[in-house]
Amino acid sequence: MTLPRTGPSGSLPLTYDVAVVGAGPAGLAAAASAAAAGCRVALLDAAPAAGGQYWRGRDPGVALSGVDVMTGSAVWFVSPGFSVHRQGGGTVTAGRLVFATGGYDRALPFPGWDLPGVVTPGAAQALLKGSGVPIGNQVVVAGAGPFLLPVATGLVATGVKVVGVYEAGDPTRYARAPGAVAGAGGKVREAAGYLATLARHRVPYRTRHAVVAAHGVASVSSVDVGRLDRSGGLVPGSVRQVECDAVAVAYGFTPQLELPLALGCATQLDPDGSLVLSVDVAGQTSVPGVYAAGEVTGVGGAALAEVEGRLVGAAVALATGHPCPLSEVELARLLARRSALRRFAALMHRVHAPPAGWPAWLAENTVVCRCEDVPVHRIRAAIAELGATDGRTVKSLCRPGMGWCQGRVCGYPVAELTARWLGRPLTAGDLAAFAHRPIAQPVRLGDLYRHRP
Amino acid sequence: VTAHLFFDGRRVRVEPGQTVAAALWAAGVRSWRTTRETGAPRGMFCGIGVCFDCLVTVDGTANQRACLVPARPDMVVTTQLGTGR
């Protein structure tokens, strides 16, 4: 299809100075910041209300006067110029774009992870905060990262029995980097509050522990929990069974990149093993006029996302000939805060890295790609017998990442397994093979026809 | 007045603001789809519309993400077998 080509140097009249995709902490801040400078701003989000997964159902308290907020607007395609195409029809055009599309839980496969009742911590949180339904009556929370704590305490607060929180990382390692921790003081206070709540309810919080298998018939009824050694391997003889009716488990987050990748934005490998957008000091990607803020530039949490959003909003304002919405003092403070929070995020990624030993927990018939039912042995065969040397070839040979979710869930584990079994480090290319999804949302042929240009 | 949807012929209570997945989950239902290859049961996994594991048939239309579709009174939700077609 042919779409009008306009942009920073284009001549066609544009509807907006900037379209911000994603209304979580980063997108809200970017939209508010740009609008404060006088930019015409569109803010789009797939959800029925602004706030993203972080603010879900609560008031973010961000002044959005002058912003056209378009909720219920899942963006399925963005074309150069820029035209932002919304699921169900309707196109927004803008001279600049800000991608603040956030991320989602990064799951690792293990035997039984496809049993009903095994979910991600994000699912448990969305179900509780969005619909008021606890994920179970006897819940195991596991994986890695600070997000496990609010999920567990949220469940406890509603009277659910959390039978244990199993963190694969070793949070005592935070103490070895006091400088980085001091720069993110609020986070330490928050974590301490969660730990105190868990202790008060006698919820065991075990570090260097992991869920290595789930058991059950129609749904999960128990998990195997084991202790991890310093190198992330399972300590022999340490596995014990824990009864539960739900498990919330994931290891950090995966940034949501399909829209910027479709525009050709350059990416790089972040320290947590995620594919992220490469951005300059102003938050601009390798594509002129396309900016990014929040988890898509590197997973770092809501506070960092908001700071990045405010800075990107200011950068967009300046680029479109508006005054800077920030005073020199504010600008200096935000830049310093961004540095401090990025330093903390780098430390967080080291402390809560996925345990190196996870591939050893897989059985040959463990499903890795949940959509296409691809078990471990087919991925192993693609490499060992058919000669695949990269993620893209593994995908072509045995179909992981080619189903409904388009590699959103199995992309990271398949890329990791490919690198491991070839005896080399994970590369950005392995991850990119599973991250390119030119059509970012399901779209009906009828809608395409009705809204053809 | 209590609102309900119908899941495989069974009445399932619907609270305002709930998704289909939440209404089913609150009623103790943990799976509403079977996989195409092995017929394994699946329900909710990511809970935010990313993984497509929770696909279900709603009012005769297959492949709806139960975690995103708002539950409405008298909706007819049926277990999706394989591709749903």
Side-chain angles (χ1 to χ4, degrees):
Chain A
M1 91 193 94
T2 312
L3 294 156
R5 213 188 142 76
T6 59
S9 58
S11 55
L12 285 178
L14 299 176
T15 315
Y16 293 96
D17 292 314
V18 57
V20 179
V21 184
L28 285 166
S33 175
C39 289
R40 290 164 300 163
V41 182
L43 175 62
L44 300 99
D45 196 282
Q53 298 302 332
Y54 183 78
W55 289 109
R56 174 182 287 281
R58 294 173 295 158
D59 179 12
V62 179
L64 291 172
S65 55
V67 177
D68 281 352
V69 182
M70 305 176 189
T71 52
S73 294
V75 176
W76 65 271
F77 190 63
V78 176
S79 44
F82 299 98
S83 295
V84 180
H85 303 270
R86 297 186 284 165
Q87 194 185 35
T91 298
V92 170
T93 54
R96 301 286 189 295
L97 289 179
V98 175
F99 286 115
T101 42
Y104 50 87
D105 296 86
R106 183 168 66 179
L108 291 176
F110 56 85
W113 77 309
D114 52 336
L115 271 172
V118 180
V119 301
T120 65
Q125 191 78 335
L127 193 69
L128 187 64
K129 304 288 179 193
S131 289
V133 178
I135 198 72
N137 298 313
Q138 219 181 332
V139 183
V140 165
V141 178
F147 182 53
L148 304 184
L149 297 174
V151 171
T153 49
L155 289 166
V156 163
T158 61
V160 166
K161 182 174 172 59
V162 174
V163 290
V165 179
Y166 302 101
E167 159 67 54
D170 179 3
T172 61
R173 292 179 58 193
Y174 280 116
R176 284 190 236 155
V181 171
K187 287 183 183 281
V188 176
R189 231 178 5 261
E190 193 185 344
Y194 292 136
L195 288 170
T197 303
L198 293 180
R200 206 162 52 242
H201 288 88
R202 300 184 191 287
V203 175
Y205 176 71
R206 301 274 179 267
T207 60
R208 283 169 56 197
H209 276 70
V211 167
V212 297
H215 308 284
V217 184
S219 65
V220 65
S221 55
S222 71
V223 290
D224 290 346
V225 175
R227 199 152 50 81
L228 302 174
D229 61 27
R230 293 219 168 268
S231 55
L234 192 57
V235 174
S238 69
V239 174
R240 63 193 176 83
Q241 207 164 58
V242 175
E243 279 184 28
C244 59
D245 64 0
V247 188
V249 55
Y251 296 83
F253 295 92
T254 294
Q256 192 143 291
L257 300 183
E258 40 278 278
L259 294 170
L261 287 184
L263 283 174
C265 296
T267 53
Q268 63 193 56
L269 190 64
D270 218 36
D272 66 341
S274 288
L275 193 69
V276 301
L277 296 174
S278 305
V279 290
D280 66 14
V281 69
Q284 190 168 208
T285 70
S286 64
V287 176
V290 178
Y291 295 73
E295 310 299 59
V296 289
T297 71
V299 173
L304 176 57
E306 193 206 326
V307 169
E308 289 186 0
R310 288 191 67 187
L311 287 166
V312 157
V316 165
L318 289 169
T320 50
H322 293 87
C324 183
L326 303 168
S327 69
E328 269 180 50
V329 174
E330 283 174 310
L331 185 59
R333 191 187 65 78
L334 286 171
L335 288 170
R337 182 90 177 128
R338 184 172 73 177
S339 299
L341 289 170
R342 282 186 177 167
R343 204 159 58 241
F344 181 83
L347 171 64
M348 175 181 80
H349 293 323
R350 284 199 298 280
V351 172
H352 301 284
W358 72 265
W361 310 335
L362 301 172
E364 285 301 301
N365 66 352
T366 302
V367 166
V368 178
C369 170
R370 304 168 66 98
C371 301
E372 293 293 290
D373 277 319
V374 183
V376 167
H377 65 83
R378 287 198 0 229
I379 294 167
R380 201 189 292 282
I383 295 164
E385 292 164 32
L386 302 174
T389 56
D390 57 55
R392 189 182 163 78
T393 313
V394 170
K395 180 177 170 181
S396 309
L397 290 172
C398 63
R399 297 193 60 80
M402 295 181 83
W404 280 304
C405 94
Q406 289 285 290
R408 286 173 172 91
V409 176
C410 76
Y412 174 77
V414 176
E416 262 283 348
L417 290 176
T418 303
R420 296 284 188 101
W421 289 340
L422 288 163
R424 61 165 175 78
L426 177 72
T427 66
D430 291 321
L431 293 165
F434 296 92
H436 283 274
R437 300 170 201 110
I439 294 177
Q441 292 285 335
V443 55
R444 292 167 192 269
L445 291 174
D447 289 336
L448 283 183
Y449 180 78
R450 263 194 303 284
H451 299 283
R452 65 194 183 282
Chain B
V1 184
T2 315
H4 293 88
L5 58 73
F6 297 90
F7 171 65
D8 289 348
R10 165 185 168 189
R11 278 156 62 92
V12 167
R13 186 174 176 153
V14 170
E15 302 282 351
Q18 281 185 339
T19 61
V20 168
L24 294 177
W25 208 270
V29 181
R30 294 291 176 268
S31 63
W32 47 82
R33 176 172 82 84
T34 60
T35 62
R36 289 169 298 155
E37 297 272 325
T38 60
R42 294 286 175 78
M44 186 174 60
F45 183 65
C46 82
I48 58 169
V50 169
C51 78
F52 295 76
D53 238 16
C54 69
L55 294 180
V56 72
T57 299
V58 177
D59 290 333
T61 305
N63 298 324
Q64 303 299 301
R65 285 173 283 182
C67 73
L68 296 185
V69 176
R72 308 227 184 273
D74 302 321
M75 214 173 214
V76 177
V77 179
T78 43
T79 290
Q80 176 169 332
L81 305 174
T83 62
R85 284 186 287 272

